Amino acid sequence: MVRAALCLMAAVLISALLGGCTVAPGGTKPARPKEELIISRGPCHGFCPVYRVSVTPGGLVSFDGVQHTALLGSRTRAVSRKVYEEVSRAVLPMRPPTGSVRDWRCEHQPTDTSLITLEWQREDGTRTVLRYKLGCRSADGAMIERLVERQLQRLGVAGWLRQA
């Protein structure tokens, strides 16, 4: 009886270890697919900047200033892969489960403000989206706004998207 239970536990453990993750070649950490990261801001009832910024794992930053930004139209620039990794790591704690679209919960939901969207897009087309309504009066809301602002500065586009 004890032997049968031990065999069953061993079988479950082995199958969990073999099927639970992918291992990077030559390493022991799970391989994480590289994703394009997109940060966009939508319109408000006023003169809010509207833009879309994306960064690829290779470091290509694409900016599209739609309205009320210091620069209108499309621009590109390059950053190092290290910058991509830093930005990707910084926003990872906010990432919803792969393939889902989530709205950030806010107790006191503001009205007439812009929507910030963080999107992770894989090469296979899988999209993971987090939407956050600017102006959420909570500690988490303020943290998200500062975090997104820092990542846009890291990507070197903060001057392009400021309100004009």
Side-chain angles (χ1 to χ4, degrees), residues 23-74:
V23 177
T28 58
K29 291 184 180 179
R32 202 177 64 171
K34 298 292 184 184
E35 300 170 310
E36 179 177 12
L37 177 62
I38 302 160
I39 302 170
S40 59
R41 181 172 172 175
C44 67
H45 295 285
F47 296 98
C48 301
V50 179
Y51 58 83
R52 180 182 188 276
V53 176
S54 66
V55 60
T56 65
L60 177 65
V61 177
S62 298
F63 169 83
D64 189 24
V66 179
Q67 68 184 45
H68 308 299
T69 55
L71 292 176
L72 293 174
S74 300

Side-chain angles (χ1 to χ4, degrees), residues 104-108 110 132-139 141-142 145:
W104 186 267
R105 291 184 171 258
C106 180
E107 253 183 68
H108 308 288
Y132 166 75
K133 190 86 165 165
L134 278 171
C136 182
R137 293 183 184 104
S138 69
E145 291 180 29

